[in-house]
Amino acid sequence: MGSTCKINATMGNWRRLSLFVWASALSSCLCRAEDSAMENIVTEKKAEESHRQDSADLLVFILLLTLTILTIWLFKHRRFRFLHETGLAMIYGLLVGVVLRYAIHVPSDMNNVTLSCNVNGTPATLLVNVSSKFYEYTLKGEISANEVDDIQDNEMLRKVTFDPEIFFNILLPPIIFHAGYSLKRRHFFRNLGSILAYAFVGTVVSCFIIGSFMYGCVMLMKQIGYLGGDFFFTDCLFFGAIVSATDPVTVLAIFNELQVDADLYALLFGESVLNDAVAVVLSSSIVAYQPEGDNTHTFEAMAMLKSFGIFLGVFSGSFALGVATGVVTALVTKFTKLRDLPLLETALFFLMSWSTFLLAEACGFTGVVAVLFCGMTQAHYTFNNLSPESQDRTKQLFELLNFLAENFIFSYMGLTLFTFHNHVFNPIFIVCAFLAVFLGRAANIYPLSFLLNLGRRNKISSNFQHMMMFAGLRGAMTFALSIRDTTTYARRMMFSTTLLVVFSTVWICGGGTTQMLSCQKIRVGVDTDQENSIGPDGVERRSTKQESAWLFRIWYNFDHNYLKPILTHSGPPLNATLPACCGPLARCLTSPQAYENEEQLKDSDSDLILNDGDITLTYGDVTVSTDAAGAHTSGTPVGGVPVNSDEALDRELAFGDHQPVIRGTRLVLPMDDSLPLDSHQHRHKNETMS
């Protein structure tokens, strides 16, 4: 009995002990569950607060744009031209930046813990084990040793600082595409040679002038001990490349409003569009400059040739990719019936255009160049295939996106002056930068204009040159290139200086555009649709085929006879231009509208066709022909009475407002049906339509 009682007692103790252990374990589990639940609640609360903070940050920019739009309306209503909308956006951005920096303080709840570990590289992502839980951290940027204890703790300022890739992948594409899509191709191609000279040769010259001048400035600063870090010649060239990108959006807006001479507008607009693309490729080529050996900043001929090859390869590859995307879109819209569903047609057009930028960047090319030439190709070919609804929608859509993106960037510029935490303002560098920008712009405009005038029939007058010199504003592209990399001392100094250059040129040059036009006695109120205009010397000049760039005249015949019929519904049928052996292919590629004579030339190049060589034009009872050199070879009416060639040309220009219609291989202007036709006219009309 005694042993049995002891065993029962022992069993009871074990039961009590096991129950105690189970209770303790259960209590521990419950505690852990409660801790986990509390942690989840805290995490959800933080996520909700972060969501509210993000909404407040975006609301700041929406209010900025709203205020800018209302002020723009007031300025346009009162006809104020001393400050453009981009300048207004920058001022509002500055004011909001001051308020965020000095008046509003949203403390961050982060605890800074500094741990040291030896890592050979700079990992983009870190996995950190905190209390047996792994957290992922991404690299935000480098912080100098003396800034470790001075990390910005204002949550609002941290939130309104965007990733630079947002500017390149989201905000820049609609701006650049709109520039190509809204290009006035008649005046652009008329001055094509001059525009290419300013954009390519001028930008490269400006880059090296600015880079060399700034390198001398940097050497001087190093000698007097006024330089706080490394600054190499390649950095100076990079600075020269990014500030050589002009963006005279303010001046061009005033030009458009005042209707300034179309050739001056085309020279400025064409140069700014193309030199942005050149500056982007040039800056990437400078970054790719890598000499052999330990010192990567010494001059080496082979490395320079390699960078030049990279420049040509990237530019030509981006150009080809942009044109190819535009051609694919044109073919899709031509050989499908998407025009029956305008919403789908507009959506496809938008996605194909935007994807050009991302495709070029993904392939190692430059998206700015690709999307620019994609826009020009879309305007030249795809636009003719779109339904009227889609034509209006695409124009308005990209115009709206361009307006919002541009004003957002300029607002953010003003904001960044106070929210960016690592500014490096060096007075000597800033003064030298302004002098270098002035010298670089002068070296671009005046010598090239002198050389171009040696071969131009319509000279670029001195007042036009002074206006182009004055209109060399810096804007969105310069800012986007400078903010993309601010990791080093040199890049931070360049970024801070670039902001001041943009502010000054937009406010001073943009605000003084009207006064400069009056000072240079440049005519305003010029109808850009009229072929006849008054030149800078006050003499009336007539725009003829010889004024078009010779390169464009050579290309245009091929485009009109082959590319337009293949890619669009307009142009002559291919069986009228291709050899007879290509008949089946011609019938397959030619649009039915070309056979039925139902499609008119809707693009702005239709007036250029009137001046094209080897094309016969019939106006009523007068036939005017032009040879390859542009001379009018005949001006004889059907009745046999000779007409002077000048009179025939005057009659030709008099019909410039009519819409030409493709009739076989001839262009025939519509005639008034109310006028009686004699037998000769009936016979001539029938021969023309056959």
Side-chain angles (χ1 to χ4, degrees):
M1 286 293 294
S3 60
T4 303
C5 290
K6 287 181 179 180
I7 291 173
N8 291 334
T10 304
M11 293 292 292
N13 292 333
W14 276 107
R15 289 195 189 97
R16 285 193 291 271
L17 181 61
S18 60
L19 288 174
F20 177 76
V21 170
W22 279 105
S24 300
L26 182 61
S27 176
S28 176
C29 291
L30 290 175
C31 290
R32 287 200 192 103
E34 290 179 0
D35 293 340
S36 178
M38 289 296 297
E39 187 174 349
N40 290 336
I41 293 174
V42 172
T43 302
E44 291 176 0
K45 189 173 294 186
K46 287 182 178 180
E48 185 178 352
E49 292 176 357
S50 177
H51 171 72
R52 291 178 180 176
Q53 187 64 50
D54 292 340
S55 300
D57 298 334
L58 291 176
L59 181 62
V60 169
F61 289 101
I62 296 298
L63 292 177
L64 268 176
L65 291 176
T66 304
L67 187 61
T68 302
I69 290 172
L70 293 176
T71 313
I72 291 170
W73 169 82
L74 178 63
F75 273 50
K76 288 184 179 296
H77 182 68
R78 298 294 182 181
R79 299 186 181 275
F80 295 149
R81 295 193 180 96
F82 62 87
L83 190 62
H84 188 250
E85 58 199 46
T86 54
L88 283 171
M90 293 167 67
I91 291 176
Y92 288 140
L94 283 171
L95 295 176
V96 173
V98 170
V99 172
L100 292 179
R101 185 64 182 266
Y102 300 108
I104 298 177
H105 184 80
V106 180
S108 176
D109 59 353
M110 64 180 181
N111 296 319
N112 298 325
V113 178
T114 304
L115 299 175
S116 299
C117 60
N118 296 324
V119 182
N120 293 329
T122 305
T125 304
L126 282 178
L127 293 178
V128 181
N129 186 351
V130 180
S131 302
S132 300
K133 290 187 177 182
F134 288 91
Y135 296 90
E136 180 181 0
Y137 292 86
T138 56
L139 178 67
K140 190 172 182 66
E142 182 183 359
I143 299 175
S144 60
N146 57 353
E147 294 177 341
V148 172
D149 297 328
D150 190 31
I151 298 178
Q152 131 183 335
D153 62 344
N154 192 333
E155 187 70 14
M156 178 71 82
L157 292 183
R158 293 197 320 113
K159 290 282 188 178
V160 296
T161 304
F162 288 103
D163 186 348
E165 292 303 314
I166 291 179
F167 291 96
F168 258 79
N169 295 330
I170 297 179
L171 297 179
L172 272 186
I175 296 176
I176 303 300
F177 182 87
H178 179 262
Y181 194 55
S182 62
L183 185 68
K184 294 181 179 179
R185 295 184 301 284
R186 175 177 56 177
H187 302 289
F188 177 84
F189 286 116
R190 179 181 296 165
N191 298 277
L192 181 62
S194 302
I195 291 172
L196 291 177
Y198 287 127
F200 284 88
V201 180
T203 304
V204 173
V205 169
S206 175
C207 169
F208 279 90
I209 292 289
I210 295 174
S212 302
F213 187 88
M214 295 308 300
Y215 187 65
C217 167
V218 168
M219 290 295 99
L220 175 63
M221 293 166 58
K222 188 176 292 186
Q223 290 293 329
I224 63 177
Y226 206 66
L227 195 64
D230 293 332
F231 213 115
F232 302 103
F233 182 62
T234 51
D235 295 322
C236 296
L237 284 181
F238 180 81
F239 179 73
I242 63 176
V243 297
S244 295
T246 59
D247 185 19
V249 57
T250 304
V251 176
L252 292 175
I254 296 176
F255 278 13
N256 190 47
E257 184 178 351
L258 297 178
Q259 292 185 318
V260 178
D261 186 276
D263 286 333
L264 176 60
Y265 184 95
L267 287 172
L268 265 178
F269 183 77
E271 181 216 357
S272 67
V273 166
L274 289 180
N275 98 322
D276 280 355
V278 173
V280 172
V281 182
L282 190 60
S283 62
S284 63
S285 302
I286 293 172
V287 172
Y289 175 79
Q290 289 292 337
E292 296 181 358
D294 297 333
N295 192 350
T296 59
H297 299 280
T298 58
F299 176 78
E300 187 178 282
M302 289 303 298
M304 186 172 182
L305 290 176
K306 183 180 178 181
S307 294
F308 182 71
I310 292 174
F311 172 83
L312 294 180
V314 170
F315 193 93
S316 58
S318 304
F319 168 81
L321 188 61
V323 172
T325 308
V327 167
V328 170
T329 311
L331 291 173
V332 170
T333 53
K334 176 183 178 180
F335 290 106
T336 62
K337 293 186 177 181
L338 275 173
R339 61 184 296 136
D340 296 336
L341 300 169
L343 181 60
L344 298 182
E345 188 180 35
T346 305
L348 177 69
F349 184 92
F350 174 80
L351 294 176
M352 290 291 288
S353 303
W354 201 304
S355 63
T356 305
F357 184 93
L358 302 177
L359 179 61
E361 292 289 334
C363 293
F365 297 117
T366 300
V368 171
V369 179
V371 80
L372 169 64
F373 287 101
C374 175
M376 296 174 67
T377 307
Q378 302 277 45
H380 191 62
Y381 298 114
T382 311
F383 184 81
N384 293 317
N385 300 335
L386 301 179
S387 62
E389 294 87 349
S390 296
Q391 289 179 349
D392 294 337
R393 283 178 179 175
T394 53
K395 280 185 176 180
Q396 295 170 0
L397 174 63
F398 281 102
E399 186 177 4
L400 174 64
L401 291 176
N402 170 73
F403 173 81
L404 293 177
E406 204 158 54
N407 281 279
F408 182 90
I409 289 179
F410 278 95
S411 298
Y412 188 74
M413 284 186 203
L415 198 69
T416 308
L417 190 63
F418 291 98
T419 58
F420 186 71
H421 202 62
N422 297 315
H423 278 300
V424 178
F425 292 106
N426 191 309
I428 297 179
F429 189 86
I430 293 171
V431 173
C432 291
F434 277 96
L435 292 175
V437 168
F438 178 82
L439 293 176
R441 184 65 179 170
N444 180 352
I445 297 300
Y446 296 115
L448 282 180
S449 298
F450 172 78
L451 296 176
L452 290 170
N453 281 337
L454 298 179
R456 281 180 63 102
R457 292 172 57 89
N458 178 30
K459 308 298 183 184
I460 304 174
S461 62
S462 58
N463 57 348
F464 277 19
Q465 296 177 37
H466 298 330
M467 192 67 225
M468 292 177 67
M469 171 72 190
F470 183 80
L473 283 70
R474 273 61 180 176
M477 183 59 67
T478 300
F479 173 76
L481 289 173
S482 62
I483 199 177
R484 201 172 190 182
D485 183 8
T486 56
T487 56
T488 65
Y489 171 82
R491 294 298 177 88
R492 289 196 290 269
M493 184 186 292
M494 283 189 269
F495 173 65
S496 303
T497 306
T498 297
L499 277 180
L500 299 182
V501 170
V502 173
F503 289 164
S504 302
T505 55
V506 169
W507 288 334
I508 297 175
C509 298
T513 300
T514 306
Q515 291 76 11
M516 188 66 178
L517 288 172
S518 301
C519 177
Q520 296 299 321
K521 298 180 180 179
I522 297 175
R523 288 194 329 122
V524 297
V526 179
D527 187 359
T528 59
D529 294 330
Q530 292 294 328
E531 285 293 318
N532 292 354
S533 61
I534 305 298
D537 52 1
V539 179
E540 183 176 359
R541 56 181 174 85
R542 179 179 292 137
S543 298
T544 60
K545 179 193 167 188
Q546 286 88 345
E547 292 187 14
S548 298
W550 64 270
L551 183 63
F552 173 70
R553 296 200 305 268
I554 293 174
W555 171 81
Y556 191 82
N557 279 330
F558 177 78
D559 174 66
H560 173 67
N561 292 328
Y562 302 105
L563 295 183
K564 274 286 184 71
I566 292 175
L567 300 177
T568 70
H569 297 298
S570 55
L574 285 172
N575 55 7
T577 57
L578 288 176
C581 61
C582 301
L585 180 63
R587 287 190 294 272
C588 178
L589 295 178
T590 302
S591 173
Q593 285 88 337
Y595 291 112
E596 299 169 4
N597 297 325
E598 292 179 354
E599 187 69 19
Q600 295 182 350
L601 291 176
K602 294 187 177 67
D603 62 305
S604 60
D605 286 345
S606 58
D607 54 351
L608 287 176
I609 300 175
L610 299 178
N611 292 328
D612 195 40
D614 300 327
I615 289 182
T616 300
L617 303 110
T618 303
Y619 312 107
D621 59 347
V622 179
T623 301
V624 180
S625 300
T626 60
D627 59 14
H632 290 71
T633 57
S634 65
T636 305
V638 178
V641 180
V643 179
N644 183 274
S645 60
D646 291 336
E647 295 177 1
L649 179 60
D650 291 337
R651 296 192 65 170
E652 173 188 340
L653 294 174
F655 283 86
D657 294 333
H658 291 280
Q659 190 79 351
V661 184
I662 295 294
R663 309 275 189 184
T665 58
R666 280 183 170 182
L667 291 175
V668 181
L669 292 180
M671 297 183 297
D672 191 350
D673 295 334
S674 62
L675 296 178
L677 297 174
D678 57 21
S679 59
H680 293 290
Q681 291 172 324
H682 275 295
R683 184 173 63 253
H684 182 71
K685 183 177 180 181
N686 293 332
E687 290 173 356
T688 303
M689 295 182 63
S690 61

